[in-house]
Amino acid sequence: MFSLLRRIWQAAPVATVILGGALVVSLFFAVRLVAFWIYWADPAHRDQAIEPWMTPGYVAHSWDVPRELAFEALGLPPAPGGPRSLQELAAERGVAVEDLAQDLQAAIEAFRDARGPRP
């Protein structure tokens, strides 16, 4: 194994560094993919009660609705400028977190009623 690496390094050191970097980045994203898959495969993370620490994107993923629906329900632009929790959004607007949660819940229920039952 080490003789192969030594031979590759001697033949093309720059390409070897690029290959090593690409392998590290690929490994990072593969681990991240598996971690997210395990997290979201857990039924406890589906249809979670809306909490102040959640972001609109997290709520949308948990409730299996489009992210745009969550942003529209809260009156946010499509790219709101980074993940902000409902608590932060409520503080910026001077409203209670419960009001934002009710708006989100109403939009989710309306979407699900229009969509119908999932197969």
Side-chain angles (χ1 to χ4, degrees), residues 56 68 70-80 84 86 89 92-93:
E68 295 77 25
F71 293 139
E72 288 174 12
L74 297 175
L76 295 173
R84 293 180 296 182
L86 295 178
L89 293 170
E92 288 175 9
R93 296 177 182 189

Side-chain angles (χ1 to χ4, degrees), residues 41-102:
D42 183 1
H45 297 122
R46 292 291 176 188
D47 295 347
Q48 285 183 300
I50 299 174
E51 301 282 336
W53 61 266
M54 294 178 175
T55 64
Y58 183 95
V59 173
H61 200 156
S62 178
W63 286 85
D64 192 28
V65 296
R67 289 178 55 136
E68 295 77 25
L69 177 89
F71 293 139
E72 288 174 12
L74 297 175
L76 295 173
R84 293 180 296 182
S85 68
L86 295 178
Q87 189 171 18
E88 293 169 340
L89 293 170
E92 288 175 9
R93 296 177 182 189
V95 299
V97 175
E98 292 77 21
D99 294 340
L100 294 180
Q102 288 174 355

Side-chain angles (χ1 to χ4, degrees), residues 1-117:
M1 173 76 176
F2 290 112
S3 63
L4 173 66
L5 290 175
R6 189 177 303 122
R7 191 174 63 205
I8 293 172
W9 177 260
Q10 289 172 349
V14 175
T16 305
V17 170
I18 292 171
L19 176 64
L23 289 173
V24 168
V25 170
S26 298
L27 181 63
F28 169 77
F29 284 110
V31 168
R32 189 170 181 248
L33 173 73
V34 170
F36 282 129
W37 180 77
I38 290 171
Y39 182 83
W40 288 110
D42 183 1
H45 297 122
R46 292 291 176 188
D47 295 347
Q48 285 183 300
I50 299 174
E51 301 282 336
W53 61 266
M54 294 178 175
T55 64
Y58 183 95
V59 173
H61 200 156
S62 178
W63 286 85
D64 192 28
V65 296
R67 289 178 55 136
E68 295 77 25
L69 177 89
F71 293 139
E72 288 174 12
L74 297 175
L76 295 173
R84 293 180 296 182
S85 68
L86 295 178
Q87 189 171 18
E88 293 169 340
L89 293 170
E92 288 175 9
R93 296 177 182 189
V95 299
V97 175
E98 292 77 21
D99 294 340
L100 294 180
Q102 288 174 355
D103 293 344
L104 271 174
Q105 192 67 44
I108 289 168
E109 289 172 6
F111 177 81
R112 286 187 167 181
D113 289 342
R115 178 180 66 185

